[in-house]
Amino acid sequence: MTPAELASVVLAAAHAVFEQRELDRAALPASTVVERPRNPEHGDYASTLALQLSKKVGVPPRELATALADELGRAPGVKSVEIAGPGFLNIRLDAAAAGQLARVIVETGAEYGRSDRLAGEKINLEFVSANPTGPVHIGGVRWAAVGDALSRLLRATGADVGTEYYFNDAGSQIDRFARSLLAAAKGEPAPEDGYGGAYIAEIATEVQARRPEVRSLDDDAAQEIFRVEGVALMFDEIRTSLRDFGVEFDTYFNEKDLHDRGELDLALARLRQQGHLYESEGATWLRTTDFGDDKDRVLRKSNGEWTYFAADCAYYLDKRERGFERVVIMLGADHHGYIGRMKAMSACFGDDPERNLEILIGQLVNLLRDGAPMRMSKRAGTVITLEDLVDAIGVDAARYALARYSSDSPIDIDIELWTRATRDNPVYYVQYVAARTAGVARNAAEVGLVPGDADAFRPELLDHEKENELLKALAQFPAVVATAAELREPHRVARYLEESVAASYHRFYDNCRVLPLGDEEITDLHRARLWLNNATRTVIANGLYLLGVSAPERM
């Protein structure tokens, strides 16, 4: 019995009690939930339904809980119901009902854990968005791992998600990039405000190979070619790096397009229409202080130039005009000050900042070698890049390590730990269960042990303490996925896979033999345990998929 099925049983019991007592059935919810009690000794599941309904119908909570417990205790699959505290229901399932979950998981397959919790929500999720002036640095890599995992979680819970990468390909940083390329091509040092690193020389060389005429042009004309060609090459490199990391975006959006299509003027007109613009000292200002910002923001300078914030306004409006009801933006630790101005900007457009705009801030990442932080990239010169991280520990370990921690906490990634083939390496610990469950299934097939038809499955045989513990862990998966999506916290999935599923499976494996020994006859118990083994494989694979990590069949 799955948690959702048990919740339906609890609700059916409530309907029966209300009918017997002639209580107002309008007070009954359309659905309810059951949860795992913190203390396993309190039962398999707990329900607070009696507490929720008590005031609505004027019946003391323990009295209502007693009636619900009596009715629920007669339901098939329910072993016992105890009343705790002011009216909690602690429910225990019989072995057959608990064991049926293994069959449900195996038959549901890749769909197990998915729900329609966020159905109807159309979400634009923007992450990474590194300037095309250098390789993706380790801070951006964190958002690549977390953002991609979050997009998978949101889709798994029914949301309509569009992932987006915003290229800041307009403005002064691109001019500095172009001047740096020109200097490298001429064999000169980088400008004082320019970009260094071996990659600048590499791109400059590639531009000259593509456009040999650049060598004979004056500096202004040559710089324009280096700007156009250099940005294109950097685009390609960034996209390739992210693709190799397993991250693909639905949309790659260029800031320059906002300028070329006149969308900044459109945004300005919309904000003027809303009554939040004013002119001062020759510049155009947005009165964001009306909505809690610490100061008003300039959109157009007195010399006619647009500010970066003006492009932010136009880009937000563009997303909303494309039909996205919620705009989620992931930003680095140095962007915390953007939250107030962006929320105020949303309100200036007439939106509800709490509903239409969500900004997530990620903290710093340190890559450690021999206990000391790595500071320099051989290629980028000043930062650690995506390639540096992948070269050090691999894609799977990198994605898991970055998604394993709450994004609002700084993290240290120890190269030695994350390359170790031992249980203290979290990704190895989880992937080992994926490989072990696959190995058990292969070995079972070699000795003629197959799960058999679902109708012949004997779930009541799964009555060992460690079997029950593993079943409880597997049952939590849909709730973990839903919570992780709603709270934007992919790390919950990683910690669940480690602390609940992998840990429980290892204890099950050590105490409950799946394969027959020697010439031992294959029994229904062996088959039942194989169902449970395969169900574990399904949950591990589904969970790792949500993190963008592989579930190997061999290690």
Side-chain angles (χ1 to χ4, degrees):
M1 186 183 298
T2 67
E5 290 170 338
L6 177 58
S8 297
V9 171
V10 171
L11 195 58
H15 276 273
V17 168
F18 271 49
E19 185 173 351
Q20 294 162 11
R21 294 187 164 222
E22 298 182 349
L23 300 174
D24 182 9
R25 298 182 68 177
L28 287 166
S31 62
T32 189
V33 296
V34 292
E35 299 176 340
R36 290 291 188 185
R38 292 183 179 179
N39 186 344
E41 295 181 0
H42 292 167
D44 297 323
Y45 293 96
S47 171
T48 60
L49 188 60
L51 296 172
Q52 297 169 28
L53 297 175
S54 175
K55 286 186 179 180
K56 294 181 180 179
V57 296
V59 177
R62 280 193 67 91
E63 180 182 333
L64 187 56
T66 300
L68 284 171
D70 290 343
E71 185 67 32
L72 191 57
R74 291 191 285 271
V78 175
K79 183 178 181 180
S80 65
V81 184
E82 297 174 357
I83 302 167
F88 295 102
L89 296 173
N90 289 333
I91 306 165
R92 285 181 170 81
L93 302 180
D94 62 34
Q100 281 290 355
L101 180 67
R103 174 188 57 78
V104 171
I105 293 172
V106 172
E107 292 182 340
T108 307
E111 293 300 307
Y112 182 68
R114 295 177 174 268
S115 70
D116 58 359
R117 184 78 68 92
L118 299 181
E121 288 200 30
K122 188 169 184 181
I123 300 172
N124 180 281
L125 179 62
E126 179 198 342
F127 55 100
V128 185
S129 294
N131 291 337
T133 55
V136 180
H137 61 77
I138 197 166
V141 180
R142 183 175 195 178
W143 275 140
V146 175
D148 188 63
L150 181 54
S151 72
R152 293 166 184 247
L153 281 165
L154 292 170
R155 286 168 175 149
T157 46
D160 180 0
V161 180
T163 58
E164 196 142 320
Y165 187 115
Y166 182 58
F167 278 116
N168 300 99
D169 60 341
S172 60
Q173 83 277 7
I174 298 299
D175 292 335
R176 295 198 303 270
F177 177 61
R179 283 190 277 111
S180 301
L181 294 176
L182 177 60
K186 296 167 68 175
E188 299 174 355
E192 186 175 341
D193 61 348
Y195 297 92
Y199 78 96
I200 290 291
E202 293 171 7
I203 293 175
T205 299
E206 180 64 25
V207 171
Q208 292 176 89
R210 288 186 175 194
R211 301 287 298 274
E213 74 276 15
V214 73
R215 299 185 181 93
S216 60
L217 299 175
D218 62 59
D219 283 359
D220 288 343
Q223 183 175 312
E224 178 60 18
I225 287 179
F226 277 112
R227 186 191 70 79
V228 173
E229 296 290 345
V231 166
L233 286 167
M234 202 71 251
F235 274 174
D236 290 342
E237 180 176 328
I238 291 172
R239 291 178 67 165
T240 299
S241 296
L242 289 169
R243 186 182 304 117
D244 291 345
F245 196 58
V247 179
E248 293 264 16
F249 289 87
D250 299 318
T251 301
Y252 292 88
F253 195 103
N254 291 359
E255 179 188 349
K256 189 172 180 296
D257 290 342
L258 293 172
H259 293 264
D260 293 345
R261 296 197 298 247
E263 292 196 40
L264 279 79
D265 289 304
L266 291 174
L268 204 71
R270 180 72 62 86
L271 292 167
R272 193 180 301 280
Q273 183 181 32
Q274 293 288 335
H276 300 299
L277 291 186
Y278 66 93
E279 309 294 325
S280 178
E281 300 176 353
T284 302
W285 296 71
L286 180 63
R287 193 177 286 105
T288 53
T289 52
D290 285 351
F291 298 100
D293 195 8
D294 59 345
K295 62 181 179 180
D296 292 340
R297 304 291 170 175
V298 176
L299 297 184
R300 195 169 223 163
K301 301 176 186 178
S302 58
N303 62 5
E305 291 182 3
W306 293 103
T307 63
Y308 286 121
F309 188 59
D312 291 338
C313 293
Y315 186 36
Y316 173 79
L317 182 61
D318 182 275
K319 291 176 179 179
R320 294 285 285 120
E321 293 291 300
R322 281 185 274 148
F324 291 105
E325 297 161 2
R326 184 180 289 271
V327 173
V328 181
I329 306 173
M330 296 178 160
L331 298 174
D334 57 341
H335 287 72
H336 202 278
Y338 278 59
I339 296 177
R341 75 189 71 170
M342 293 293 287
K343 290 282 189 179
M345 172 267 291
S346 170
C348 287
F349 276 119
D351 283 350
D352 178 355
E354 298 308 309
R355 184 175 68 88
N356 299 119
L357 178 62
E358 187 175 338
I359 298 177
L360 308 177
I361 300 293
Q363 293 302 318
L364 300 175
V365 181
N366 291 313
L367 189 61
L368 306 182
R369 187 187 295 276
D370 299 324
M374 292 176 60
R375 298 295 184 191
M376 303 284 283
S377 167
K378 291 180 180 178
R379 183 163 179 266
T382 56
V383 295
I384 301 300
T385 68
L386 187 159
E387 284 77 11
D388 295 324
L389 179 60
V390 170
D391 288 346
I393 65 175
V395 171
D396 276 350
R399 290 193 59 136
Y400 194 95
L402 292 164
R404 182 178 182 261
Y405 301 91
S406 175
S407 57
D408 59 5
S409 300
I411 57 175
D412 293 329
I413 297 178
D414 188 328
I415 292 175
E416 292 181 356
L417 170 66
W418 288 93
T419 54
R420 200 177 295 159
T422 58
R423 286 190 176 191
D424 58 346
N425 175 351
V427 70
Y428 179 86
Y429 183 61
V430 174
Q431 288 186 316
Y432 185 74
V433 173
R436 172 169 271 185
T437 52
V440 167
R442 284 195 304 273
N443 293 336
E446 289 176 2
V447 300
L449 170 59
V450 294
D453 189 272
D455 293 336
F457 172 46
R458 299 280 304 281
E460 70 275 10
L461 298 177
L462 299 175
D463 59 359
H464 191 281
E465 175 189 359
K466 301 306 177 186
E467 293 165 343
N468 188 252
E469 178 187 332
L470 179 54
L471 285 163
K472 287 181 180 180
L474 301 181
Q476 294 171 359
F477 185 53
V480 169
V481 172
T483 301
E486 290 176 339
L487 298 181
R488 318 300 193 232
E489 295 181 343
H491 72 273
R492 289 175 176 269
V493 175
R495 294 307 178 97
Y496 158 77
L497 293 177
E498 293 170 43
E499 297 165 8
S500 292
V501 182
S504 297
Y505 181 80
H506 284 305
R507 289 189 286 270
F508 159 75
Y509 185 87
D510 291 341
N511 289 274
C512 304
R513 171 164 282 278
V514 178
L515 304 177
L517 281 172
D519 295 330
E520 181 184 358
E521 181 182 352
I522 294 173
T523 67
D524 286 339
L525 178 58
H526 292 121
R527 282 185 278 269
R529 286 176 172 171
L530 183 57
W531 276 92
L532 183 52
N533 174 84
N534 295 351
T536 305
R537 165 76 190 179
T538 297
V539 171
I540 287 284
N542 291 358
L544 287 173
Y545 169 79
L546 293 174
L547 299 175
V549 177
S550 68
E553 296 194 356
R554 289 180 170 84
M555 288 184 72

